[in-house]
Amino acid sequence: MKIIHTSDWHLGQNFFEYDRRDEHCSMVNQLVELVKCEKPDALVIAGDIYDIPAPGISVQKEFAEYMVALHTGCPQMKIICISGNHDSASRLEIYSTIWAHLNVHIIGRIERNQKGEIDFRRHIIPIQDKGYIVALPHVFPQNYPLLEENTPREERQTAFLQAMDKQVKDINTEKKPIVVAAHMAISGSDTEGHDLVRGNMDFVDADKLNIDFDYLALGHIHCPQNIKG
């Protein structure tokens, strides 16, 4: 399975009245040329697509144009977008049904089915016959949904990830490659340049992820990471 992993585009961002629109356009143009050349099976955008939860109409239009350009550059490629802490999960998913027709899969939130059970399988996206991407939108550790009564809030994330791992194993009987896409920070990450006090960043220990994966496609920290262990 061949993927390209990006994150934290922060579309619509202004630095002290400096509009980064031209930078974003340049970045996406380079990405379009890259997918044309490399023809990946999937492109992962691991959260913080927008800089604020309620981006302006022109910024949302930019996102739509970028997705169409990327799809046109490599129509067989699946584009996996998850929500970050800067995004509005509900706003991202408004047109998710339409986007699916262009091979764009947007996972903004954790949902329950008509029986009131967590719909784990909507997060497990097959990539042709080559493997799966497990798309985990941003959720603060204490806000993960309750799976069993009386589970302490500090244990809900662990319980959710364990349950997700079981679902993945049930589907992935041939043990194909697994990519976990998540907008989270792992303990031991290089946080140089981040204001951790103002950013209110939560860190998750790598040994508590509880999902077997071959590659972890993270967002949140704005640079590539090599985590020991």
Side-chain angles (χ1 to χ4, degrees), residues 47-104:
D48 282 359
I49 295 165
Y50 295 116
D51 193 52
I52 58 175
I57 297 299
S58 62
V59 179
Q60 295 180 62
K61 184 172 181 288
E62 281 178 52
F63 172 72
E65 291 171 347
Y66 293 158
M67 292 299 101
V68 171
L70 287 163
H71 170 72
T72 303
C74 187
Q76 70 273 20
M77 170 185 72
K78 287 193 177 182
I79 302 174
I80 315 298
C81 302
I82 63 172
S83 62
N85 59 302
H86 280 247
D87 298 310
S88 164
S90 300
R91 190 181 299 273
L92 268 183
E93 288 203 357
I94 288 175
Y95 301 112
S96 59
T97 304
I98 298 174
W99 277 123
H101 290 281
L102 289 180
N103 250 351
V104 179

Side-chain angles (χ1 to χ4, degrees), residues 12-20 23 51 222:
Q13 187 177 45
N14 285 268
F15 277 142
F16 301 99
E17 299 184 1
Y18 172 72
D19 189 342
R20 298 189 64 203
E23 295 177 5
D51 193 52
H222 292 185

